[in-house]
Amino acid sequence: MNLLELISLTQSLRPDASDEQVVRWVLMMLVSQSPTTEECLSESLTFVEQSNRLMSDQASAVAEELDDLASTQPSEFNPSHIWTLLKAIRVQKQMLDLYESESVESSCGSV
């Protein structure tokens, strides 16, 4: 299946999705080496949607914590703030890993 067919099939599975979402999901499927055959596309798409949602939720939560941290005075800085910064770094790494190679196992077969 070529890229245009993959995008078209993804759009047909999620007709309400924006072009940006479709391209993000297709990129994530390709990079994660998810099975992209017609038979497996729905399952692969569900996996990348869930992964993307999970990482977005984590990133939003950490962003809120960082906003709270930024509003503190330097004199109020304490060890728990270091943990907030470390958590932010970890979540950012997970977001990057999401777009890097991670093999996906499914009932359609793993690659």
Side-chain angles (χ1 to χ4, degrees):
M1 172 178 329
N2 69 36
L3 184 58
L4 291 176
E5 291 171 333
L6 184 56
I7 289 170
S8 178
L9 284 171
T10 302
Q11 285 174 323
S12 68
L13 289 170
R14 301 296 188 274
D16 295 334
S18 69
D19 290 344
E20 180 183 277
Q21 287 173 314
V22 171
V23 169
R24 181 180 298 121
W25 294 330
V26 168
L27 172 66
M28 290 172 65
M29 281 188 281
L30 293 173
V31 170
S32 69
Q33 300 176 3
S34 298
T36 54
T37 61
E38 279 190 62
E39 302 82 32
C40 297
L41 188 59
S42 181
E43 185 176 327
S44 295
L45 181 56
T46 299
F47 173 80
V48 296
E49 284 177 306
Q50 291 172 347
S51 297
N52 191 9
R53 190 175 311 114
L54 175 67
M55 287 296 109
S56 294
D57 290 348
Q58 286 182 344
S60 294
V62 168
E64 283 183 35
E65 290 180 17
L66 289 173
D67 284 343
D68 291 342
L69 180 60
S71 67
T72 63
Q73 296 296 319
S75 61
E76 297 172 351
F77 199 78
N78 65 54
S80 69
H81 296 130
I82 298 292
W83 290 114
T84 298
L85 294 171
L86 291 174
K87 189 174 10 174
I89 292 167
R90 188 183 77 234
V91 168
Q92 289 300 316
K93 183 187 179 322
Q94 289 173 341
M95 288 293 286
L96 290 173
D97 289 346
L98 196 58
Y99 290 97
E100 292 179 356
S101 181
E102 65 178 45
S103 189
V104 175
E105 292 185 26
S106 72
S107 60
C108 293
S110 61
V111 177

